[in-house]
Amino acid sequence: MFIVIRLSGRYILSMSTTPDPSAHTGFVRTRFAPSPTGMLHIGGVRTALFSWLIAKQTGGKFVLRIEDTDRARYDADAEASIMESLRWLGIDWDEGPDIGGPYAPYTQSERLDLYQEATKKLLESGHAYEDDTTPEELGELRVAQQAAGKPPGYDNRGRYKTKDEIDASRAAGKPIVVRFKIPDLGKLKFDDAVLGEVEFDLSLLQDFVIMKSDGFPTYHLAHIVDDHQMQISHVVRAPEWIPSTPRHILIHRALDWELPVYVHVPLILGKDKSKLSKRHGAASAIEYRDQGILPEAIFNFLALLGWSPGDDTEVMNREEIVERFSIDRVLKSPSVFDNEKLVWMNGVHIRQMSAENLLERVAPVLERPESEGGLPDSVSRPVDRKFLLRLLPLVHERLKTLNEATDALSFFFMEEVHPDVEALPGRKSDPETAANSLEASLEILKTSEPFEPEHLEAEFRALAEKLGLKPGPLFTPVRVAVTGSSMAPPLFDTIAAIGRDRVVSRVENAIQLLKG
RNA sequence: GGCCCCUUCGUCUAGUGGCCCAGGACGUGGCCCUCUCAAGGCCAAAACAGGGGUUCGACUCCCCUAGGGGCUACCA
């Protein structure tokens, strides 16, 4: 019964839609509209990212709106935490609850009059009706339907109630909701920017609640009123909204509002291919930050989940992604979040940054309390930036996360280290040889002048030859003695950076350990 | 159960009827480099879910099956 025509890349219901001139600016406006119910999930971040990209790429506007119509799940800290996540990632908004904008307020609980107005319109035009069916009655209905082997769902009983009945219920204090009446119009088709054409059978839908008994609208009504009033051109959202899109289109039609372009982005799955959730480990954006992942790495990685630029390019910065992104290349299929590839990409981004930039990122990590992954508490804060800048080239290409900097650098800052006696000789030597090597090394370390990498290395290589040893068996005990670990940056740069006094005393300690 | 969406190496993906006995990346294995660890270089194993069509020719188009996921609330 619907006549569907294609108009500027989207299908609209020609029977009922008269484009609202004020809503037709031709300007791209997208939004991210999270519910403040907890931490911003990585899947939500990806949705926000795609939405943001679509706006930024065309020079459009990106709006942040808080959808807090669910009082039961409301979390007072969530809004700030969501904004913190987005800011950290560089997903900034042109209008939002904190900065306002031409369509303020941007928080749904402050916009109730708009929803009431729309509800009134729908009631008056006969597209909606009041219903006094209680949650208990709905429960009974469900049980009966299941017992009869029928699909559960509201039976539209409210359609046949009289105004007197509703008034009586209201007077009796029964909860009243407003339901939208599903028209008997056969099939409904819509065009999604990523899915293409999708068709639904309206006869399978039941009349649904648009206004709850507490006076708050449901998502279905609220987001439409907001998106219309805020002149949102592209509704970018998660795929769980696909099945309810027909309802949304029906509301637009009843209100005589123009449809936005629907962009349902694919789901992100966990390693086990189920919807990403808490049990898949770090799932919130903030947790990745706390793990030492760079925002540019997450940004890059997430952009590549469900989208690719079309060639083999993978490592991109913000600007390149904004420039190359296109809805046309967004995939329909869900993708698994591969943490290992994220960590690899994080390493790539770390290697690409300047030492000065890395310094800014690493210093706060090192300065955290020891219990939170920082340097040992015995090391005084703030750390010496100049010294740190000298050290960074030694570990720069070895870091895959910022947090690894602590282990990679702590021995440079500590007074003494505590090597494992077993580890001192290394795999290819023995304690006696190691002790002798260290004794011999001590002479060089005490006297070598200048105390610089190149000179030290030349002396040590000469020593190895003199002792009839390969470099490994000589260098390893020294490395373990000086750094406390068998894995470390290039030995002579390390020795020079730590300084003669501490190096000599560490080697002496190691000799004592081997003899004791 | 019903409805909707999805299906190329383990994972992210390229591929829009012949360029593909399927390309890149992560991961894995090997080799090289090398004072350890990295980084880097080279090489290798690894996929078109299955079955029918359409076509001179299908990863690409159609149908069916299977599998996965989502939705089915006075939650979003």
Side-chain angles (χ1 to χ4, degrees):
Chain A
M1 194 54 210
F2 281 106
I3 299 165
V4 179
I5 62 165
R6 198 181 172 91
L7 210 166
S8 62
R10 66 190 108 156
Y11 284 102
I12 62 165
L13 308 162
S14 66
M15 271 171 66
S16 60
T17 306
T18 45
D20 175 357
S22 70
H24 195 78
T25 58
F27 195 75
V28 172
R29 288 175 57 82
T30 65
R31 43 70 163 182
F32 180 56
S35 290
T37 55
M39 293 266 153
L40 183 55
H41 195 273
I42 205 69
V45 171
R46 209 278 306 266
T47 304
L49 173 62
F50 279 19
S51 189
W52 182 87
L53 285 169
I54 289 167
K56 291 300 136 184
Q57 167 175 79
T58 55
K61 299 282 190 206
F62 178 69
V63 176
L64 177 65
R65 184 174 72 224
I66 299 298
E67 309 216 323
D68 59 345
T69 56
D70 185 351
R71 294 179 317 163
R73 292 199 306 157
Y74 180 75
D75 173 357
D77 300 327
E79 183 176 329
S81 145
I82 288 166
M83 292 204 265
E84 182 187 0
S85 298
L86 294 175
R87 275 199 203 97
W88 174 64
L89 284 154
I91 299 175
D92 53 352
W93 47 99
D94 300 296
E95 298 163 28
D98 54 333
I99 53 174
Y103 306 101
Y106 290 86
T107 301
Q108 290 188 328
S109 58
E110 296 167 24
R111 302 168 58 82
L112 298 181
D113 51 331
L114 287 168
Y115 312 129
Q116 252 129 38
E117 193 184 311
T119 303
K120 197 175 161 219
K121 259 165 103 174
L122 291 170
L123 244 18
E124 283 169 357
S125 62
H127 289 290
Y129 59 84
E130 290 184 302
D131 182 26
D132 64 354
T133 313
T134 62
E136 292 71 37
E137 290 169 324
L138 254 16
E140 288 162 19
L141 174 63
R142 185 184 206 83
V143 170
Q145 285 166 328
Q146 276 170 346
K150 289 178 182 171
Y154 182 65
D155 57 5
N156 297 351
R157 62 176 66 169
R159 287 188 185 190
Y160 313 105
K161 296 196 175 168
T162 65
K163 188 172 184 307
D164 288 346
E165 280 178 86
I166 299 296
D167 286 344
S169 289
R170 200 193 315 274
K174 282 180 80 177
I176 309 290
V177 300
V178 178
R179 285 181 185 270
F180 185 86
K181 194 191 288 180
I182 300 289
D184 181 19
L185 290 167
K187 293 191 190 297
L188 184 150
K189 249 183 215 175
F190 71 94
D191 194 37
D192 184 280
V194 341
L195 297 171
E197 198 174 84
V198 187
E199 189 181 75
F200 285 90
D201 187 347
L202 292 181
S203 67
L204 265 17
L205 292 184
Q206 288 83 43
D207 296 348
F208 59 97
V209 175
I210 54 175
M211 187 60 79
K212 299 182 254 185
S213 58
D214 63 1
F216 280 73
T218 60
Y219 168 84
H220 303 300
L221 204 227
H223 90 276
I224 287 168
V225 170
D226 293 340
D227 286 342
H228 175 258
Q229 190 255 353
M230 294 177 183
Q231 307 208 27
I232 300 303
S233 62
H234 295 64
V235 170
V236 184
R237 52 162 46 160
E240 56 258 33
W241 295 111
I242 297 167
S244 51
T245 303
R247 296 169 173 175
H248 306 156
I249 291 173
L250 255 15
I251 295 178
H252 277 93
R253 174 176 171 273
L255 256 10
D256 218 10
W257 289 347
E258 190 186 1
L259 287 179
V261 178
Y262 286 104
V263 185
H264 287 104
V265 302
L267 207 58
I268 294 182
L269 309 175
K271 205 81 182 151
D272 61 356
K273 301 212 174 193
S274 71
K275 199 173 168 180
L276 199 61
S277 68
K278 308 285 177 290
R279 66 199 161 79
H280 294 102
S284 85
I286 296 300
E287 283 175 80
Y288 286 101
R289 181 192 65 186
D290 294 343
Q291 284 177 14
I293 300 294
L294 300 169
E296 50 267 57
I298 282 269
F299 190 102
N300 189 169
F301 183 74
L302 249 24
L304 256 18
L305 241 38
W307 173 80
S308 71
D311 55 25
D312 291 335
T313 311
E314 291 204 297
V315 177
M316 288 175 279
N317 62 33
R318 246 173 259 278
E319 291 68 36
E320 289 170 314
I321 293 167
V322 168
E323 191 179 316
R324 304 194 62 171
F325 187 82
S326 87
I327 304 178
D328 298 341
R329 297 194 56 84
V330 172
L331 264 21
K332 300 179 188 182
S333 51
S335 39
V336 174
F337 190 93
D338 181 2
N339 212 63
E340 287 192 76
K341 186 157 184 177
L342 168 65
V343 170
W344 163 77
M345 186 167 275
N346 199 56
V348 173
H349 280 274
I350 286 177
R351 271 173 251 134
Q352 281 187 347
M353 65 173 61
S354 68
E356 289 73 18
N357 192 353
L358 185 60
L359 176 74
E360 296 303 314
R361 319 275 195 129
V362 158
V365 168
L366 300 178
E367 287 167 351
R368 297 184 296 195
E370 184 176 353
S371 60
E372 290 171 27
L375 291 174
D377 292 331
S378 58
V379 176
S380 68
R381 271 69 162 176
V383 300
D384 181 344
R385 303 292 149 129
K386 213 175 147 195
F387 182 48
L388 182 53
L389 191 57
R390 176 185 175 181
L391 303 179
L392 284 178
L394 305 185
V395 299
H396 199 143
E397 71 182 17
R398 276 161 247 267
L399 297 180
K400 288 206 282 293
T401 71
L402 258 20
N403 285 12
E404 288 172 357
T406 302
D407 283 345
L409 292 168
S410 60
F411 58 81
F412 284 108
F413 291 92
M414 297 188 297
E415 268 316 304
E416 45 186 39
V417 293
H418 305 283
D420 184 352
V421 202
E422 308 286 311
L424 274 166
R427 303 278 304 163
K428 292 176 183 167
S429 188
D430 56 86
E432 200 190 322
T433 312
N436 291 338
S437 299
L438 289 174
E439 295 275 16
S441 303
L442 209 47
E443 293 310 307
I444 298 176
L445 293 168
K446 280 177 173 169
T447 59
S448 180
E449 194 63 43
F451 201 71
E452 282 166 9
E454 229 172 79
H455 188 244
L456 285 165
E457 178 163 3
E459 295 217 36
F460 269 88
R461 287 196 184 275
L463 174 63
E465 205 157 323
K466 196 175 122 194
L467 295 175
L469 290 172
K470 288 194 163 193
L474 172 63
F475 295 0
T476 300
V478 178
R479 171 178 302 106
V480 176
V482 169
T483 69
S485 166
S486 58
M487 294 176 288
L491 184 57
F492 304 101
D493 295 283
T494 302
I495 289 176
I498 292 174
R500 194 193 302 271
D501 292 351
R502 280 193 295 165
V503 168
V504 166
S505 104
R506 286 179 191 187
V507 170
E508 284 171 342
N509 282 346
I511 292 169
Q512 288 309 309
L513 267 179
L514 281 169
K515 286 182 173 170

